[in-house]
Structure formats: C-alpha cells, structure tokens
Amino acid sequence: MRAVKYVCLVAASAVVLVPLVAIVLTSLRTSREMADQSPLAAPADWFNLHNYVVAFTDGHMLRALGNTAFILFFSVLGTVVIGSMTAYAVDRFRFRFRRVVLAGFLVAALVPGVTTQVATYQIVNGLGAVDTRWAPILLYLGTDIVSITIFLQFVRSIPVALDEAARLDGAGSFTIYRRIILPLLRPAIATVVIIKGVAVYNDFYVPFLYLPDDSLGTISTSLFRFKGPYGAHWEVISAGAALVIIPSLLVFLALQRFIYSGLSAGATK
Amino acid sequence: MRPRWFTPWLYLLAPLALLVTFTYLPVLDMIGYSFTDWDGLSPTSDVVGLHNYTDLFTRPELFQVFTVSLFYLAGSAVQIAAALYFATVLSFRTRLRTLFKGILFFPYLINGVAVGFVFLYFFQPGGTLDTVLHQVGVGPRLWLGDPDLVNPSLAAVSVWRFMGLNMVLFIGAIQSIPPDLHEASALDGANRWQQFRHIIAPAIRPIIALSAILAISGSLSVFEIPFIMTGGANNSETFVIQTVKLAFTFDKTGLASAAAVVLLLIVLAVTWVQRRLFPDERVELT
C-alpha cells in the first residue's frame, strides 16, 4: 500500500517534470546539436546561453516585461482599492438598495468573461482604449468578483466596535477605512495580490484581443508572436518559454506557503 | 459624526461603474447583437430575428464545437479524481511531502503560452513523448495531427496544468478537518479508504461540488491551449476559438453574439442545477 503511494507520487512528478526538463535541455543546445539528438539528451555545453540571448533580444522580452509590469501594478493596486472599498461600503453601512448592490456583484460572478468579449470589445473600442495598456487594466478591474468576496469575508471578521470607538473620537468614515480597516485587511490583501498577480502575469486572452500592436506586447503575447519567425528553431523557442517560466518559479519558491494558503482562502469564497 | 446617506455610494461609485460597464452592459449589448447581422464595423445592421440561432443549431460545422467540450469534460473528471487521491495522500505523513506538493502544483503557475510551447515540443513527431514511448516499444504517433488523437492530447495538457490547483484546494479543505477525527477512526481500525470514504469525502463535499461546477464551465470555455497549440485545426476547435474567429476574423459579430448567448445560457443553467442540488453550499455574500 505504501509502495503504491510512492510509485504514484514519483510517476506523477515525472509526468509534470519531463516536458519541462525537455524544454530546458533543448534551450541549452546549439542548432547543430538539434539535428541529431533525442529531446532528452544532455547538451554538450551546460552553460550555452546563446539561445537565451537571442530569445531575450529578438523576442523583445525587456519591453514585454515592462508592459506586463505596468499592467500588473495598476491592476493589482486597483483591485485592492476597489475590492476593499466595496467590501467596506457594503458591510459597514446600512443603506437603501444595499441588497440590490450585493446581488449585482453576486450575479456578475456567474457570467464568465470569455462569453461577453464580443460585446465588451465594442465598449472598450468605444472608449478609445483598444491598443492602450489601460484596456486590460480596466477589464481586470471591472470583472474581479473573487477579490471583492475575499475582502468582504475579512471585513466582516473585523469587530464593529473598533469603528465605533474611532467614530466617538471624531473620525470620519474615510479615516476609519484608511486607519483601521485597511491595516487589518493585510492578510486579505496578500491573498488578493497573489491570486491577481498570477492571473494577470499569465493571461493571454485579454492582451491578445486588446493589445494587437507589437510594441504593447505583454509577456504572453510577445512569446506567442515570437514563435512565428523562429517556427522551426526549437532551441530558441524553448529558451523563450524557459525565460517566461523562470520568474514564476522564483516567485513560487519564495512565496510557497502564502500561495497555497492564499489560493485556499480564495477558493472557499 | 454620523455618516450621511450618500457616504456608501462614494465608495461604490467606481466599483459599480466598472461592474455595469464591463459586465452588465456587454451582456445586454450582446443579446441585442445576436438578433442582427451586424459585422462589428459598419454603422448599419439589419434585424434578422432568430436567424443566427437557427444557424447555430442547424449547421453541423458550427455545432461540432460542443462535442470537443466532451473531451475536456472527461479530462476534468480524471483531474478531480487524481487531485482527490494526491490530496489525501499528501495530507498524511509522507516522505518529501512538501517537494511532491510543490512539483504537482507548479504547472498552475506557468504562463499559458509557455505551457502551449512546452507541449507543442513534447507532442512533436519524434519529440519527447515519442522518445519516451519508444523505450516501451510504442511507435510514433501524430499526437496533434491525427483528428482522433488531438483532443485527448489537448485535454491531457489541461489536466497537467490544473490538477495541482485542485489538489491544493482539496488539501486546504482536508486540513480544516479536526485531526482527532482521524485519530479516533484509526483507533477504531478504519483503513485509509474507509477514512477517506466516511470522514474526508463528506467533509470536503462543498469544495468538490465547486470544483465540478468550475470544471463544467471551464470545459465549455477552453481557449488558450488549443488556440496556441493548433489554432483550432484538425477538429480541435472549441466554442471560444470559434466565437473569437467569427467575431474578429470573419466579422460576423451577430452570429458570434448568438453563440456567446448560447454559451452563457448553458453556464447559467449548469450553475442553477448545481444550486438546486447543493442548496446549502451557496456562496455566502450577505
């Protein structure tokens, strides 16, 4: 029974790792080695970074990193501000149509973004945002119901007595939000930053549709377009793919525990 | 200082504006477009009634994308079963537990385009998979070129990519079970399978139900991986690839909108059925 367990674990790990190892090995080969070697053979020179240099420069990876960083920064910042404000307003105030507003966010969670893209495109186009980096930012902000739910859960767990004490001391609602609620929301903010960050860094659909201009390529779309000119040169394409995977790996190794707990917190809603 | 009536609305101004502009307005527009022959560009369009809908359901080449979803649905079933197994195993004492968990989860964090390229190389004729299978005497296959093999191959990539996410979510749920329950059942002589069957499975039922529902809507809205890897060639075209092509390549916005409305209705119906079957596991918002 225990042996079966380890056989399964090792087999599954091999299934995960073999395709990735093949890419890394290939990325270290010269184009001559490509012709006569099996995909899993070792490269002659383990430090042959030539393909990485080609992928980095010809794939415009620096520009792509810049574009992705810009979109990532504003999307994540905006998601935190908008999600926390919505949660604060809905949980701490009693007002007319409060339930309607809540239902509005809840029902929106049922509409998958991919289904409405045809019409959304016309709206973004009408706003003149297509082919600007604000288009993906607006879309990431406008459709993030998950983060609102995460914030709502956390705000609910903050005792109302704290607000009331501050209010007696003369604090206005914004002071309460900024000085009491936001600092106490730190764990929720970490969760949202991680979930949103991963989603934005890896998204392909939105930048592909809304940023057709080459100079606005993100990590995803730049890598996608890079394949065209290097169609058959797998050693260079592999290096490009490896380049894009490396930041994810580093972030994962550094933040492992937070990523696991963040995802669990996000999923139970 | 009591808050005035409009105070909450100040906080809700931006969120509600975004919600209406990017969710509700598109849904309404889309329903409107679906009854026209609009091409997405010209200032005029004609109302064609239900023509787009009858087109969708009577032209087999448009309808065939639904059968492709079935492959991804089958993949999801495999994915959830594997995730349940590994989550259970990794929730108990196992050597190198953190390492295994990390390896199995990592694909979820990889960029979709990179995943596409990794597997394009993996499935190449004479590529990694053929090389590995050659060791056990299986000959080379056209994994992406054979219309019978392409969808199972692509669905397998989905399983590879998302199994770890499901597993981590299940592990999170299993860890919230009080540990004395396991100890008590172990004292009573329950084996691992009995523990899974009578303690773990009932305790994490809500998250399994949630995964199932996400699997169904996910199977209907597959786009990235097949688009990057095959561009929808050889029978691998999914609903969203078709919709994107209709709308942005062939300028058939009306027909694409009708397709999107049908997809939305299916997803809503599935969600509704799930809410009826598991009424106590509703997402709590209020």
Side-chain angles (χ1 to χ4, degrees):
Chain A
M1 197 55 200
R2 289 189 49 201
V4 173
K5 173 171 97 176
Y6 287 104
V7 168
C8 287
L9 282 169
V10 170
S13 303
V15 169
V16 168
L17 292 177
V18 167
L20 296 174
V21 168
I23 281 285
V24 173
L25 292 177
T26 303
S27 72
L28 297 172
R29 292 204 185 109
T30 61
S31 49
R32 184 178 305 165
E33 283 175 83
M34 285 303 290
D36 44 37
Q37 278 189 351
S38 103
L40 289 171
D45 175 8
W46 283 93
F47 296 97
N48 167 29
L49 295 180
H50 173 74
N51 299 323
Y52 285 86
V53 176
V54 174
F56 192 79
T57 47
D58 286 11
H60 304 288
M61 284 300 165
L62 200 60
R63 192 175 68 193
L65 262 175
N67 287 331
T68 302
F70 183 91
I71 294 169
L72 192 69
F73 177 77
F74 285 104
S75 305
V76 169
L77 180 74
T79 303
V80 169
V81 171
I82 282 180
S84 58
M85 286 202 317
T86 311
Y88 175 63
V90 163
D91 190 65
R92 290 306 211 248
F93 296 91
R94 293 287 166 272
F95 53 96
R96 286 184 74 183
F97 303 119
R98 177 175 164 276
R99 289 189 150 271
V100 178
V101 170
L102 264 173
F105 283 107
L106 178 67
V107 171
L110 304 178
V111 180
V114 289
T115 61
T116 50
Q117 249 10 271
V118 180
T120 309
Y121 186 88
Q122 300 298 336
I123 289 175
V124 176
N125 200 17
L127 292 172
V130 169
D131 254 336
T132 74
R133 288 176 291 188
W134 297 105
I137 294 173
L138 279 172
L139 289 168
Y140 295 141
L141 293 182
T143 51
D144 194 355
I145 314 299
V146 175
S147 67
I148 292 178
T149 3
I150 294 173
F151 280 123
L152 202 55
Q153 266 196 340
F154 269 82
V155 170
R156 232 179 260 151
S157 69
I158 300 172
V160 183
L162 284 179
D163 303 29
E164 275 160 7
R167 182 154 284 140
L168 287 178
D169 288 342
S173 76
F174 189 69
T175 314
I176 295 174
Y177 166 73
R178 206 168 55 87
R179 305 290 286 273
I180 297 176
I181 304 288
L182 264 191
L184 287 171
L185 278 181
R186 228 174 279 152
I189 293 175
T191 297
V192 168
V193 167
I194 287 171
I195 297 182
K196 194 74 186 176
V198 169
V200 171
Y201 180 83
N202 289 335
D203 189 37
F204 170 72
Y205 191 66
V206 167
F208 176 72
L209 283 185
Y210 292 92
L211 299 175
D213 193 304
D214 263 353
S215 67
L216 292 173
T218 64
I219 293 281
S220 297
T221 49
S222 297
L223 183 62
F224 182 69
R225 286 176 198 138
F226 174 59
K227 196 192 146 221
Y230 285 91
H233 287 276
W234 272 104
E235 72 282 9
V236 183
I237 297 171
S238 300
L243 267 181
V244 169
I245 297 175
I246 289 165
S248 311
L249 181 63
L250 295 180
V251 169
F252 174 57
L253 292 177
L255 300 175
Q256 247 190 81
R257 275 188 43 231
F258 300 101
I259 292 179
Y260 292 142
S261 56
L263 283 172
S264 305
T268 43
K269 294 197 196 172
Chain B
M1 222 165 82
R2 283 275 117 194
R4 275 184 277 259
W5 69 267
F6 56 78
T7 314
W9 296 104
L10 292 179
Y11 292 95
L12 289 171
L13 209 61
L16 283 178
L18 287 164
L19 180 73
V20 170
T21 317
F22 294 108
T23 302
Y24 288 104
L25 218 53
V27 170
L28 291 178
D29 282 353
M30 186 175 75
I31 296 172
Y33 298 155
S34 75
F35 298 108
T36 70
D37 64 356
W38 194 37
D39 60 7
L41 301 165
S42 70
T44 57
S45 64
D46 298 316
V47 176
V48 294
L50 288 173
H51 181 75
N52 290 324
Y53 290 94
T54 45
D55 246 16
L56 273 181
F57 288 105
T58 49
R59 281 166 56 185
E61 78 274 17
L62 291 179
F63 198 75
Q64 108 74 26
V65 290
F66 283 106
T67 49
V68 174
S69 313
L70 297 177
F71 288 95
Y72 291 93
L73 206 56
S76 309
V78 173
Q79 175 179 318
I80 290 178
L84 271 176
Y85 173 74
F86 288 116
T88 309
V89 165
L90 293 177
S91 294
F92 295 103
R93 269 179 52 136
T94 298
R95 252 175 253 259
L96 301 176
R97 191 162 83 175
T98 330
L99 178 70
F100 281 126
K101 186 170 152 188
I103 292 175
L104 295 184
F105 170 72
F106 183 62
Y108 172 68
L109 295 180
I110 300 180
N111 185 290
V113 182
V115 172
F117 288 177
V118 165
F119 278 93
L120 214 46
Y121 187 61
F122 184 76
F123 284 130
Q124 267 204 337
T128 317
L129 183 58
D130 282 339
T131 309
V132 171
L133 289 182
H134 183 72
Q135 313 289 326
V136 291
V138 179
R141 298 260 193 294
L142 284 173
W143 299 104
L144 300 174
D146 181 341
D148 290 333
L149 276 176
V150 63
N151 286 316
S153 303
L154 292 172
V157 176
S158 271
V159 177
W160 183 88
R161 194 174 175 202
F162 294 113
M163 194 282 283
L165 175 66
N166 267 326
M167 180 192 77
V168 163
L169 300 181
F170 291 156
I171 290 177
I174 291 175
Q175 270 161 1
S176 63
I177 303 171
D180 36 322
L181 273 181
H182 296 303
E183 283 159 29
S185 65
L187 282 180
D188 289 343
N191 62 30
R192 277 275 182 268
W193 168 245
Q194 287 166 327
Q195 283 184 352
F196 175 80
R197 174 90 180 60
H198 297 289
I199 297 174
I200 295 175
I204 66 170
R205 216 179 64 137
I207 185 104
I208 299 177
L210 182 71
S211 303
I213 206 85
L214 291 177
I216 298 173
S217 60
S219 305
L220 287 162
S221 42
V222 176
F223 170 73
E224 228 175 37
I225 293 298
F227 183 79
I228 291 162
M229 291 179 61
T230 66
N234 293 326
N235 276 335
S236 66
E237 187 158 275
T238 67
F239 201 94
V240 180
I241 295 181
Q242 185 180 68
T243 309
V244 165
K245 278 190 179 166
L246 285 177
F248 301 104
T249 312
F250 301 117
D251 295 330
K252 290 189 184 299
T253 302
L255 185 57
S257 299
V261 171
V262 171
L263 176 57
L264 181 59
L265 287 177
I266 297 175
V267 172
L268 291 180
V270 168
T271 316
W272 182 78
V273 168
Q274 187 255 355
R275 295 273 155 98
R276 293 303 297 264
L277 291 177
F278 304 96
D280 49 324
E281 283 137 21
R282 194 170 317 176
V283 179
E284 288 278 330
L285 247 180
T286 34

